[in-house]
Amino acid sequence: MSQPEGKVSGALEVKFVPDEAVLSHIADDAGIKVRKDKAQLAVSVKRFAKKLENISDDEAQEILAEENYVAALGTCAQDPVGNGSGVSGGEVYSFQTPKCSSKMAELASELAQTPGQSVAADHFKCPEKTAKTPQSSKRSGSNKVQQRSKKKEFLSTTPYRLRKRLAAPDSCLESESEYSASCSEEDDEEDQKEVSTVLSGQKTPAKATAAATSPPRNALAKKIKEEKMSSLVEEYFEAHSSSKVLTSNRTLQKLQTRRLNQKTLHDLLKKAPLAYAAEMKKLSQQHESLFSKWMLQLHLGFNIILYGLGSKRDLLEKFRTSVLQDSAHLVVNGYFPSITVRSILNSITEEVLDHIGSFRSPLGQLEFIHKRFKEDASLELYVLIHNLDSQMLRGERSQQILAQLSSLPGVYLIASIDHINAPLMWDQAKLRLYNWLWYETTTFNPYVEETSYENSLLGQQSGSLALSSLTHVLRSLTLNARGIFRLLARYQLENKDNTSYPGLSFQDFYQQCREAFLVNSDLTLRAQLTEFRDHKLIRTKRGADGVEYLFIPVDDSTLTDFLEKEDEDV
Amino acid sequence: MPNLEHPAYPAATLLHLESLVPCRESQVSLLLSIFGERQQFSLPSIFIYGHTSSGKTYVMQTLLNTLQLPHVFVNCVEYFSSRLLLEEILIQLQSYSSKIEQSSHVPCDSLNDFVGLFKQVVASQELQDQTLYIVLDRAEQLREMEANILPAFLRLQELTDRNVTVVLLSEIVWELFRPSIGCFEPFTLYFPDYSIGHLQKILSQNHPPEYSADFYAAYINILLGVFYMVCRDLKELQHLAVLNFSKYCEPVVRGEANERDTRKLWKNIEPHLKKAMQTVYLREISSSQWESFQRGSGEPGQLKGLSAHTHVELPYYSKFLLIAAYLASYNPVRTDKRFFLKHHGKIRKTNFMKKQEKTSNHLLGPKPFPLDRLLAILYSIVDNRVPPTANIFSQITSLVTLQLLSMVGHNDQLDGPQYKCTVSLDFIRAIARTVNFDIIKYLYDFL
C-alpha cells in the first residue's frame, strides 16, 4: 500500500501520473464536470466517502484531506489488481462506457505519440480521478457544513449511511434533513466502528487512512461480504431513482487526434506489454492439467463449458492440438460475425458424414445427423465452439439445435462463454440436453481474435458489413426503417442474377415504400436513406440517365441470411 | 300453404325443405330464386355472412341436398393450403362424373392447372347442362392463402366458362375480404340472428318421445329465461338443454310432481341451471363430469373446476423470482427506492407520483422491466444472500418457457433483456404465502 509514501512525500507528489495529463484534465474538467456529470460524480463521491471516513469537514483541515486523497488513490488504484472484491457496486451498475471509450482512445493516441514510453493501462485511470476528487470532496464537505451547522456535536459521529446520502448530490435535500436524525440512531453498530476510526483519525490523519481502509476490511471481512450484496442493491436503486438520463456530450468527434484505422490500432495495442506473463503462464498450465479429466468426462456423457475472465481460445486450441489430434473434430468460431447454425450443420453433414445434397430445413438436417449417429456407433465427433454466446449463436432456435446436437451419443461438445448473462440462454429443457460441466478457466488473456471483428468506435471500418454488425445496426432502428431496408434487400436479391442490375432507383423505391405505408413523404425517405448511408448500409450511384440508384454493398449470401434471420424474429 | 314456391321443383320437396329449415324461410326463398332452374346461369358468387350458429352451413347443405343439386362442399379450415383446397374440390367433382373411375389422384399445383382440370371434369355428361355449386365454408381462411385464390374463386364462372356458382360462408363481413386491388363483387346475403321466439321454436322442435311437447316446451322456456342473457348460440343452448333435462324430469320420475306442476319443476331446476352457467357453460367442468354428478346426485360445488388448479409447485428461488417480477411489473420505477431501501424516509403518495401513476397499475396491466431491476428486487426481498449463479439465470429463462414471464421486444436475449410478468394477483399471492412474504405490503396500488 502506498500510504507511507503519501505521508512522507506530501500532497502533490504523484508518482505514476504524467503531469501534462493531470493538467489537461484539471483544465477541461474543473468547472463543468462537477455540475454536469452528477451521476458519475455520485459514484465516485460515494466510493471516496467510503475510503476516507475520517475526512473532517473543517476548512482548516482541507490540506490534510488532500493529502489523504493521494494516499487513498494509491489504494484505489491498486485495488482492482490486488483483489477483485474491492470493486464497488457503482462500477457494476452505472453507465461508464463513454468514459471508458474515451480512455481507450487516449491510451491509443498516447501510444501513438510516444511509442517508447510504456505506460500501463491501469495506471491511466489515475489522472482523471486525481483531477476530480478534490472538487468532489470540497462539495461534500461544504454540504455537510450546511446541513449540520446546527448540530455540531454530531460532526465526528455521523453514521456512514447518512454521510453517503449527504455526499450524493440528491435533489431533495430538504426531505433528507428530516429523517437524518432518526437514521443516526438506527445504525448503532456502524456508528461504533466508525467512531473509533474517526477518533484515531483526528489525531493522526495519515495513519487513519490505513485504519479506515485496510484493517476493517480484514477484521470485518465477513460482515462486509455479507453486506456487499445489499449495498449493491441499494446502490442500484439509488442510481436509478432519478429519471433523468444523462448522456455525455463528449464524443469521439471532439477528439483532436485523427482516427486510426483498424490495422494501426491493432499494431499499437500489440506493443503494449503483458504485465504478468509468468503468472498467466502458470495459470494456463494449471488449466492444461485438466485436459485428461475433460476427456474422461466427455466420454461419460457430459459436455464441458468454460467460463471465466480472459480469452479461452488458446486453451481450447491447446486442447485440440494435444488431445484431439487423432479424432474427428470440428472447430466453430462463434465470434465470427457471419456464422450460422446452418453452416455448422452443413460442415457436419458435408465434411464429417460425406453427404452430398441440400436439406430443406435445419431440423431435417439435424434429423439426418441424428440418424447417422444412431446407425453407426463408431462415429465420434468432437465439437469445439469458441464463444457459444456470440451474437450469431445466442438465438433461441440456434441454441435449441446446438443442444439437440450435443445430446447425441457420438457428439462431444466443449464450448466457452464470455457474456455475463450467458446462462440466460438456457432454460431447464436445454440444460438437460446440454448436460454441462462448468469449469472456471480464468486465463486473463486478451480477447484478440474475438474482438477483431467488432466495429470498434476507435478505428475506421473497413470492407463490407458483416452479418452481425448489420443486424446490430438495424436493431436500433425503428420498425419502419427496418421495413424500408428489407424492401431494398428483397429487391436486390430478386435481381441478383441480373449482372447489369444498377440498383433500385430512388423514384421506384419511393413508390414501393409508399405502397407499403412505410414513409409518408419524399423527405422522410431521404432522411432515412441518409441515416442508412451514415451507417454504411447503402450506397448510391448516379446512373447514365442521371437517376440515383441505391444498392446495398453487402454480398448476397449475407443478405439472404439476414433476411432469414429477420423473418425468424418477426 | 307452403311459403316456398318455385316452378322448377315439386311442391312436396319444397314443403319438406321448409320443415327442415325453420325460421329461415325468407333466406331460403331468396336463395331459391337466385339459383333458378338447373340449366339457367346463376350468380358467379354469393357471399353469405351471419353470426355464429345462425344456420349458414346447415341451410346451405340441406338446400343443396334436398334439391339434389350438384355441389361441392369444402371447409377451408380443413384444407388449409391452396393446393389441398383445389385438389379436394377436384376429387369431390370426380365422384359426380361416374365416367372417370375413381381414378388416380390428380396433382394440382396452381390455379392455372385447376382451371384446366376443372373444365375437363365438368365436361362430363352429368354436369354439362346444370349449375354446379362450390360451397366454401369458413371462407375467411381464403385470405391467408395466396393473393390470387379469392379473386379467382369469385370469377370462376368467367375463367372456366362453365355454369358454376361459388358460395362463400363466413362470420365476418365482406369489407374485410376485399383485396386491395379490387375484385369481382359477390352478391352478399345476411343471415340474421334468431330471436328468442325462433330459438324457442327450434329448440322445442325435437322433444323426447316419452314426454309431451308442452312439458318440453316449458322446460325450454325456463332454460332460455336463465341463459338468454349470456348466450344466444343455438348450439350451446341445445347442448345445455340436453345436459340438464334429466334433472328437470327428476320430480316427475320420483312422483313428487306431475307434468303440469310447472312451478314446482321450476323451483327444482332454477338453482341447478344457475350453477350450470358457472360451471358447464364456462367449461370449468366437462359435460361428462356434469352428467355423472347428476346421476350420483353429489353437490356441484364440490367438483373442482379447471381454474381451481392454479397452484403450481415451484422451486424456492423461482418463487422469489416470480414475486420480484410481479413487483417490478406492477410498481412504478420511482417507488423502488421507497419499497426496497431500508431507510428511504417518508415519501407521500399524493405529491410524490405523477398523475398517470396514480391510476391503478393493475388496471393498466404489467409493464416491462429490465433484468437488472428484477435481480435488484430479488436480492432485496430474499433475506439471505443469493449468489447470482447460472441456475438463477436459467430459472428466469425457464419461467419464460413456462409462460409465467414473457420476454418483451425479442431484440437481444443477452444484452439487456426486458421481461413482463404474466401471472395474476391471486396466483402471486398464493405463491407469496408459501414463502411467508407479504406481497400486498410491497405493492404500490394497495397502499
Side-chain angles (χ1 to χ4, degrees):
Chain A
M1 294 245 165
S2 58
Q3 290 94 356
E5 287 156 37
K7 186 174 127 194
V8 174
S9 49
L12 290 174
E13 193 181 330
V14 184
K15 279 208 151 176
F16 34 74
V17 180
D19 283 354
E20 70 274 13
V22 176
L23 273 176
S24 71
H25 269 282
I26 289 171
D28 346 289
D29 292 355
I32 318 145
K33 199 135 191 163
V34 179
R35 263 170 270 124
K36 271 193 178 170
D37 303 349
K38 267 185 186 170
Q40 259 180 342
L41 198 62
V43 172
S44 65
V45 168
K46 249 177 270 165
R47 194 154 58 227
F48 284 104
K50 233 181 274 173
K51 304 274 189 255
L52 310 168
E53 317 273 32
N54 61 329
I55 290 181
S56 72
D57 8 26
D58 270 353
E59 307 275 308
Q61 281 191 327
E62 217 172 84
I63 303 159
L64 276 177
E66 266 185 39
E67 193 176 79
N68 290 338
Y69 279 125
V70 181
L73 267 178
T75 66
C76 202
Q78 279 178 4
D79 250 10
V81 186
N83 53 336
S85 65
V87 182
S88 78
E91 276 170 1
V92 179
Y93 284 111
S94 71
F95 298 101
Q96 289 189 326
T97 33
K99 206 167 98 192
C100 257
S101 58
S102 69
K103 216 171 283 157
M104 280 295 283
E106 266 172 60
L107 169 60
S109 66
E110 182 79 15
L111 281 170
Q113 280 160 14
T114 56
Q117 193 182 339
S118 63
V119 185
D122 48 348
H123 291 240
F124 231 85
K125 277 192 169 179
C126 301
E128 206 166 275
K129 280 175 190 161
T130 27
K132 234 192 296 176
T133 40
Q135 273 113 30
S136 56
S137 86
K138 227 179 269 170
R139 188 187 159 78
S140 63
S142 60
N143 261 351
K144 279 178 211 164
V145 173
Q146 271 177 21
Q147 290 294 309
R148 279 168 289 131
S149 52
K150 55 186 174 198
K151 30 183 176 174
K152 278 250 171 176
E153 64 276 88
F154 270 106
L155 262 180
S156 55
T157 56
T158 37
Y160 158 61
R161 204 189 292 277
L162 172 60
R163 214 173 313 158
K164 198 172 85 180
R165 216 168 267 282
L166 287 170
D170 220 320
S171 53
C172 43
L173 283 168
E174 303 87 73
S175 63
E176 272 172 62
S177 57
E178 278 169 28
Y179 63 76
S180 59
S182 64
C183 263
S184 60
E185 257 88 65
E186 271 167 31
D187 12 357
D188 272 349
E189 35 175 17
E190 263 187 65
D191 264 10
Q192 307 242 290
K193 160 180 121 199
E194 272 160 39
V195 165
S196 66
T197 57
V198 168
L199 283 177
S200 64
Q202 298 284 357
K203 282 175 240 158
T204 51
K207 232 193 229 166
T209 331
T213 50
S214 53
R217 180 163 293 163
N218 295 336
L220 299 162
K222 212 170 149 191
K223 197 182 168 183
I224 285 171
K225 207 174 176 185
E226 222 167 64
E227 280 181 0
K228 205 177 78 189
M229 189 64 82
S230 70
S231 76
L232 269 178
V233 168
E234 297 197 352
E235 276 171 41
Y236 173 84
F237 289 127
E238 290 279 0
H240 285 251
S241 60
S242 72
S243 54
K244 260 183 273 174
V245 181
L246 295 162
T247 322
S248 171
N249 57 353
R250 302 172 79 199
T251 58
L252 279 175
Q253 255 71 34
K254 289 195 175 172
L255 214 62
Q256 296 301 317
T257 49
R258 73 207 143 76
R259 282 175 85 177
L260 308 158
N261 62 19
Q262 205 76 42
K263 178 136 183 2
T264 43
L265 180 73
H266 193 76
D267 292 345
L268 284 171
L269 284 174
K270 218 183 218 169
K271 275 184 203 150
L274 223 53
Y276 296 96
E279 284 87 344
M280 277 161 64
K281 196 157 176 243
K282 213 188 237 169
L283 204 59
S284 69
Q285 274 167 359
Q286 213 175 331
H287 296 321
E288 279 158 30
S289 67
L290 294 169
F291 281 175
S292 53
K293 198 172 169 187
W294 291 354
M295 268 315 262
L296 174 69
Q297 284 165 343
L298 283 174
H299 281 271
L300 289 175
F302 296 100
N303 293 313
I304 308 284
I305 186 126
L306 308 179
Y307 67 99
L309 198 69
S311 168
K312 291 160 279 289
R313 193 174 173 279
D314 293 340
L315 187 69
L316 280 179
E317 200 53 29
K318 190 72 109 351
F319 179 71
R320 189 181 72 85
T321 47
S322 60
V323 184
L324 301 180
Q325 217 37 277
D326 309 320
S327 38
H329 56 264
L330 175 75
V331 179
V332 179
N333 295 325
Y335 52 81
F336 191 64
S338 299
I339 195 150
T340 54
V341 181
R342 194 181 275 258
S343 59
I344 298 173
L345 292 177
N346 277 344
S347 42
I348 292 177
T349 50
E350 281 163 20
E351 274 151 49
V352 180
L353 302 176
D354 292 324
H355 176 266
I356 300 158
S358 59
F359 292 89
R360 265 226 182 128
S361 70
L363 284 177
Q365 202 163 2
L366 191 70
E367 191 107 327
F368 172 79
I369 295 169
H370 187 81
K371 216 175 79 198
R372 285 292 297 271
F373 272 93
K374 268 273 162 63
E375 277 169 10
D376 192 352
S378 66
L379 267 177
E380 274 194 346
L381 175 67
Y382 294 86
V383 182
L384 281 87
I385 303 181
H386 303 292
N387 289 63
L388 187 60
D389 53 351
S390 70
Q391 195 86 46
M392 302 311 299
L393 296 180
R394 65 175 60 156
E396 165 99 49
R397 267 168 58 94
S398 322
Q399 286 295 326
Q400 185 65 43
I401 288 168
L402 286 175
Q404 280 173 5
L405 188 68
S406 76
S407 67
L408 297 183
V411 176
Y412 309 113
L413 176 67
I414 175 161
S416 67
I417 53 168
D418 288 298
H419 198 287
I420 188 165
N421 290 339
L424 273 183
M425 289 190 293
W426 309 307
D427 59 0
Q428 298 295 335
K430 289 199 196 73
L431 280 180
R432 191 184 62 83
L433 289 174
Y434 270 127
N435 212 4
W436 289 129
L437 281 179
W438 295 73
Y439 276 94
E440 194 205 336
T441 51
T442 305
T443 59
F444 298 114
N445 285 337
Y447 291 101
V448 179
E449 282 290 320
E450 287 91 332
T451 55
S452 63
Y453 297 102
E454 281 181 10
N455 51 9
S456 121
L457 283 172
L458 286 179
Q460 269 157 358
Q461 286 170 27
S462 55
S464 78
L465 287 163
L467 183 51
S468 70
S469 45
L470 194 66
T471 44
H472 192 77
V473 171
L474 277 177
R475 279 224 171 113
S476 57
L477 294 175
T478 60
L479 214 64
N480 273 0
R482 264 185 269 178
I484 292 170
F485 187 78
R486 214 173 322 156
L487 215 67
L488 189 60
R490 280 242 171 80
Y491 191 79
Q492 180 156 340
L493 281 182
E494 276 167 24
N495 288 297
K496 67 178 172 190
D497 301 327
N498 185 359
T499 46
S500 63
Y501 166 67
L504 185 57
S505 78
F506 180 79
Q507 274 310 317
D508 289 351
F509 193 34
Y510 177 56
Q511 201 59 42
Q512 287 188 20
C513 288
R514 282 286 293 229
E515 274 164 22
F517 287 105
L518 291 170
V519 294
N520 56 1
S521 75
D522 198 341
L523 283 175
T524 0
L525 182 59
R526 284 222 185 265
Q528 201 57 64
L529 291 181
T530 316
E531 193 171 341
F532 287 157
R533 214 170 297 141
D534 289 347
H535 289 111
K536 302 206 170 95
L537 290 178
I538 61 164
R539 214 171 280 169
T540 48
K541 190 165 64 176
R542 222 163 255 291
D545 45 357
V547 182
E548 253 185 304
Y549 289 107
L550 309 162
F551 67 97
I552 305 170
V554 178
D555 56 304
D556 293 335
S557 60
T558 313
L559 215 53
T560 320
D561 282 344
F562 164 72
L563 283 179
E564 256 174 38
K565 218 172 144 59
E566 278 281 293
D567 291 340
E568 241 170 64
D569 289 355
V570 174
Chain B
M1 182 65 200
N3 290 323
L4 299 174
E5 282 177 20
H6 201 276
Y9 305 104
T13 322
L14 291 177
L15 206 63
H16 177 59
L17 179 67
E18 197 184 336
S19 68
L20 283 176
V21 284
C23 315
R24 281 280 172 255
E25 289 83 9
S26 65
Q27 281 79 26
V28 171
S29 71
L30 182 60
L31 280 173
L32 272 179
S33 52
I34 290 170
F35 289 174
E37 292 179 27
R38 283 169 192 264
Q39 73 281 2
Q40 285 173 340
F41 269 81
S42 170
L43 286 169
S45 49
I46 304 167
F47 179 79
I48 297 174
Y49 70 106
H51 272 150
T52 317
S53 71
S54 52
K56 301 177 291 292
T57 310
Y58 173 74
V59 167
M60 206 62 212
Q61 226 158 6
T62 36
L63 185 65
L64 292 170
N65 280 333
T66 9
L67 301 181
Q68 291 178 330
L69 299 168
H71 68 274
V72 172
F73 207 96
V74 187
N75 192 331
C76 296
V77 175
E78 204 176 339
Y79 302 96
F80 53 88
S81 79
S82 65
R83 187 199 160 102
L84 286 173
L85 182 70
L86 299 177
E87 280 178 2
E88 174 64 18
I89 291 173
L90 288 176
I91 288 168
Q92 286 197 23
L93 276 178
Q94 274 177 0
S95 65
Y96 269 101
S97 50
S98 50
K99 239 188 287 170
I100 307 166
E101 304 286 306
Q102 291 298 354
S103 64
S104 55
H105 169 75
V106 198
C108 171
D109 285 325
S110 70
L111 207 74
N112 208 9
D113 296 350
F114 173 73
V115 172
L117 288 166
F118 184 81
K119 278 184 180 172
Q120 236 176 61
V121 176
V122 175
S124 70
Q125 209 74 69
E126 290 87 348
L127 294 173
Q128 213 162 26
D129 50 359
Q130 46 182 332
T131 316
L132 174 71
Y133 296 92
I134 298 177
V135 186
L136 301 173
D137 200 1
R138 303 279 194 113
E140 56 267 16
Q141 294 295 318
L142 287 178
R143 303 178 304 166
E144 316 281 312
M145 298 176 193
E146 285 94 330
N148 62 350
I149 292 287
L150 181 63
F153 270 119
L154 292 172
R155 271 180 192 276
L156 200 62
Q157 203 174 70
E158 197 176 319
L159 287 170
T160 56
D161 201 17
R162 294 286 181 277
N163 189 0
V164 60
T165 293
V166 177
V167 183
L168 304 171
L169 305 179
S170 177
E171 284 178 18
I172 61 176
V173 294
W174 167 247
E175 278 67 30
L176 297 171
F177 275 81
R178 196 175 286 138
S180 56
I181 49 167
C183 62
F184 183 87
E185 290 289 313
F187 173 77
T188 55
L189 175 62
Y190 177 57
F191 271 43
D193 290 345
Y194 293 115
S195 67
I196 189 162
H198 289 161
L199 285 173
Q200 208 168 343
K201 189 175 163 198
I202 297 167
L203 283 171
S204 44
Q205 212 170 31
N206 44 357
H207 63 92
E210 56 266 34
Y211 296 100
S212 71
D214 287 344
F215 179 71
Y216 193 71
Y219 166 64
I220 293 297
N221 236 342
I222 295 167
L223 187 86
L224 282 175
V226 174
F227 280 101
Y228 188 69
M229 282 296 283
V230 292
C231 175
R232 284 149 203 217
D233 189 333
L234 183 63
K235 273 181 238 157
E236 283 285 338
L237 289 169
Q238 236 159 4
H239 180 63
L240 286 166
V242 170
L243 275 185
N244 294 307
F245 187 61
S246 62
K247 179 80 180 174
Y248 183 73
C249 303
E250 242 173 35
V252 183
V253 173
R254 280 207 298 260
E256 291 165 6
N258 63 21
E259 289 194 11
R260 301 251 164 263
D261 248 343
T262 38
R263 191 176 159 69
K264 202 162 193 178
L265 291 169
W266 177 78
K267 269 212 151 162
N268 177 43
I269 196 73
E270 211 252 349
H272 189 74
L273 287 180
K274 288 227 163 110
K275 195 142 271 167
M277 196 193 301
Q278 286 155 14
T279 52
V280 189
Y281 178 58
L282 299 175
R283 305 290 190 270
E284 280 276 298
I285 61 174
S286 70
S287 306
S288 59
Q289 263 179 312
W290 182 254
E291 273 175 338
S292 74
F293 140 74
Q294 276 178 342
R295 257 178 275 119
S297 69
E299 195 52 35
Q302 285 163 359
L303 283 170
K304 259 194 173 177
L306 284 175
S307 66
H309 300 286
T310 48
H311 185 66
V312 177
E313 241 352 288
L314 285 173
Y316 183 72
Y317 281 133
S318 283
K319 280 179 184 171
F320 271 109
L321 274 171
L322 202 58
I323 292 169
Y326 192 84
L327 292 174
S329 248
Y330 286 98
N331 276 351
V333 183
R334 286 151 56 91
T335 55
D336 278 356
K337 227 172 125 183
R338 177 191 200 295
F339 287 121
F340 304 114
L341 286 187
K342 272 184 194 136
H343 309 290
H344 53 79
K346 290 221 163 55
I347 303 164
R348 280 176 215 285
K349 186 174 181 177
T350 45
N351 53 18
F352 173 64
M353 296 319 290
K354 284 185 209 147
K355 202 171 182 186
Q356 88 238 27
E357 280 167 347
K358 277 180 195 157
T359 57
S360 169
N361 289 301
H362 277 83
L363 280 181
L364 298 171
K367 287 188 205 56
F369 55 88
L371 175 70
D372 297 354
R373 191 161 163 241
L374 174 69
L375 291 178
I377 294 176
L378 173 75
Y379 296 147
S380 128
I381 60 175
V382 180
D383 287 334
N384 41 9
R385 197 174 163 275
V386 188
T389 56
N391 264 329
I392 296 281
F393 279 81
S394 67
Q395 279 187 27
I396 296 174
T397 312
S398 298
L399 286 175
V400 174
T401 318
L402 291 173
Q403 301 187 336
L404 296 171
L405 299 183
S406 77
M407 220 163 133
V408 186
H410 295 287
N411 257 350
D412 201 315
Q413 226 183 341
L414 299 191
D415 302 328
Q418 298 240 325
Y419 298 98
K420 255 187 193 184
C421 187
T422 54
V423 299
S424 66
L425 181 63
D426 291 332
F427 185 92
I428 207 76
R429 278 175 78 170
I431 284 194
R433 212 172 299 126
T434 60
V435 290
N436 285 328
F437 181 81
D438 186 7
I439 191 154
I440 296 300
K441 227 173 75 188
Y442 283 85
L443 279 169
Y444 180 68
D445 281 347
F446 298 102
L447 281 184

